[in-house]
């Protein structure tokens, strides 16, 4: 009942929609949004990225936040040249498939985050997709933030709206945006790990039920594979967050380090949860295999017991089927019923002994 209520709440809860859809953006097919912020306040819309940069640099204390979704190399080349981005970082941002990391190129930071989303399903099967992953990159410079999103989820529209309601925090500059992105990603990790726990509880209940040894081991392996994908997204992010929390880095104000340290603490909790889930799944798998072995041993004992019972009449019938002329009781009137009685009595005694010892 509780699991169904959790699933219903997750289906009902949806984040706000990012209204800056690429199809309606006048700045380019991959540009989701381009906004100038000054003193933490969003300024009037701009017609081009160049105009946004000029306005931000003219203000002196402002910055521009450019959001892109799966840009092509030609589309991103102009931005890379405008902001002087390193070619290696540009290549990683365009082609994606990177591990979570933090790299420094002069006064520009390049951060890579893995985004995750829990895929709703009524029942976990051997082919169910549980965790869907994407990528989110962020270039952070003295007066700009460029975010590149890969995948069908992880929109930053709601995050942008939430930040704009806190101009004091947004006024701290690009590092405030970078912190908000990291916090947003880690919060999604927490939500996904809580949802995965429901699947883990369901498998654990099924394995330790009366018919647990009959369960589908494919479901356990599938959840373990999905958990491994979540682990690959979560675990490598620890070192970049520690650097942001402790190292003197460009574009990261000293006052922002405690915020990154808080995000690192949340990530440590997620890593502990994922690690414990993985260990618990190993235990569940071992328990399932042990149950299968025990069930097979019980089946073999039953087969052996019945084979022993059948062996008695088989032996007697074999002896009297040898067709020798001189055999005892061959011509006795009560010989046939006597032999049948002996066989039935022997079979009943052996069956009783096996039942008493738990073999049948």
């Amino acid at each position: 009942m509780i699991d169904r209520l959790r699933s219903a709440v997750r289906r009902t809860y949806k984040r706000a929609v990012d209204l800056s859809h690429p199809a309606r953006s006048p700045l380019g097919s991959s540009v989701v949004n381009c906004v100038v912020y000054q003193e933490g306040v969003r300024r009037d819309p701009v017609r081009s990225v160049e105009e946004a940069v000029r306005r931000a640099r003219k203000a002196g204390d402002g910055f521009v936040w450019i959001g892109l979704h799966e840009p092509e190399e030609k589309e991103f080349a102009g931005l890379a040249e405008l902001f002087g981005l390193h070619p290696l970082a540009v290549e990683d941002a365009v082609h994606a498939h990177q591990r979570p990391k933090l790299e420094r190129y002069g006064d520009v930071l390049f951060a890579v985050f893995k985004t995750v989303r829990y895929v709703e399903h009524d029942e976990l099967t051997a082919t169910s997709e549980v965790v869907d992953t994407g990528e989110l990159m962020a270039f952070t410079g003295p007066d700009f933030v460029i975010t590149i999103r890969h995948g069908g989820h992880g929109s930053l529209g709601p995050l942008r709206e939430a930040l704009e309601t806190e101009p004091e925090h947004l006024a701290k500059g690009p590092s405030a945006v970078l912190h908000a992105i990291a916090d947003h990603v880690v919060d999604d990790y927490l939500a996904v790990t809580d949802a995965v726990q429901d699947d883990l509880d369901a498998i654990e209940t099924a394995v330790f039920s009366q018919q647990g040894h009959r369960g589908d081991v494919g479901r356990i392996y599938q959840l373990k594979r999905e958990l491994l994908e979540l682990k690959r997204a979560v675990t490598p992010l620890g070192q970049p967050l520690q650097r942001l929390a402790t190292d003197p880095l460009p574009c990261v104000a000293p006052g922002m380090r405690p915020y990154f340290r808080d995000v690192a603490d949340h990530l440590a909790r997620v890593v502990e949860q994922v690690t414990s889930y993985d260990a618990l799944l190993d235990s569940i798998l071992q328990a399932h295999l042990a149950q299968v072995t025990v069930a097979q041993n019980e089946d073999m004992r039953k087969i052996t017991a019945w084979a022993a019972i059948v062996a008695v009449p088989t032996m007697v019938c074999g002896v009297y089927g040898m067709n020798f002329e001189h055999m005892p009781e061959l011509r006795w009137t009560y010989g046939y019923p006597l032999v049948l009685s002996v066989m039935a009595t022997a079979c009943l005694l052996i069956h009783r002994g096996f039942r008493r010892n738990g073999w049948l």
Side-chain angles (χ1 to χ4, degrees), residues 160-187:
R160 187 190 294 268
E161 295 173 4
L163 275 174
E164 290 175 356
T165 62
E166 301 178 2
E168 298 84 2
H169 185 69
L170 194 56
K172 296 177 181 179
S175 57
V177 177
L178 183 61
H179 160 261
I181 293 173
D183 189 51
H184 170 75
V185 169
V186 174
D187 284 346

Side-chain angles (χ1 to χ4, degrees), residues 175-304:
S175 57
V177 177
L178 183 61
H179 160 261
I181 293 173
D183 189 51
H184 170 75
V185 169
V186 174
D187 284 346
D188 285 344
Y189 292 166
L190 288 169
V192 171
T193 52
D194 290 341
V196 169
Q197 185 175 6
D198 295 340
D199 292 321
L200 189 62
D201 292 342
I203 286 183
E204 186 177 17
T205 302
V207 166
F208 291 101
S209 65
Q210 292 183 351
Q211 300 295 327
H213 63 280
R214 307 285 184 186
D216 185 8
V217 70
R219 297 198 305 159
I220 303 177
Y221 277 115
Q222 178 64 16
L223 185 58
K224 191 167 180 62
R225 282 195 297 266
E226 296 293 311
L227 195 62
L228 179 60
E229 186 174 359
L230 178 61
K231 190 174 182 179
R232 288 173 178 170
V234 170
T235 305
L237 187 58
Q239 184 177 4
L241 287 180
Q242 286 297 330
R243 288 184 60 193
L244 288 169
T246 58
D247 295 355
L249 296 171
C251 310
V252 178
M256 291 300 302
R257 292 177 191 169
Y259 293 92
F260 286 109
R261 187 161 52 247
D262 180 68
V263 178
D265 291 340
H266 293 171
L267 180 69
R269 173 192 164 191
V270 176
V271 173
E272 290 176 359
Q273 281 185 307
V274 174
T275 303
S276 64
Y277 290 171
D278 190 42
L280 182 57
L281 263 181
D282 287 336
S283 301
I284 292 174
L285 180 59
Q286 293 300 322
H288 175 74
L289 296 177
Q291 286 178 331
V292 171
T293 302
V294 171
Q296 290 175 344
N297 290 338
E298 291 179 354
D299 292 339
M300 288 301 299
R301 286 197 303 178
K302 291 179 180 180
I303 294 173
T304 304

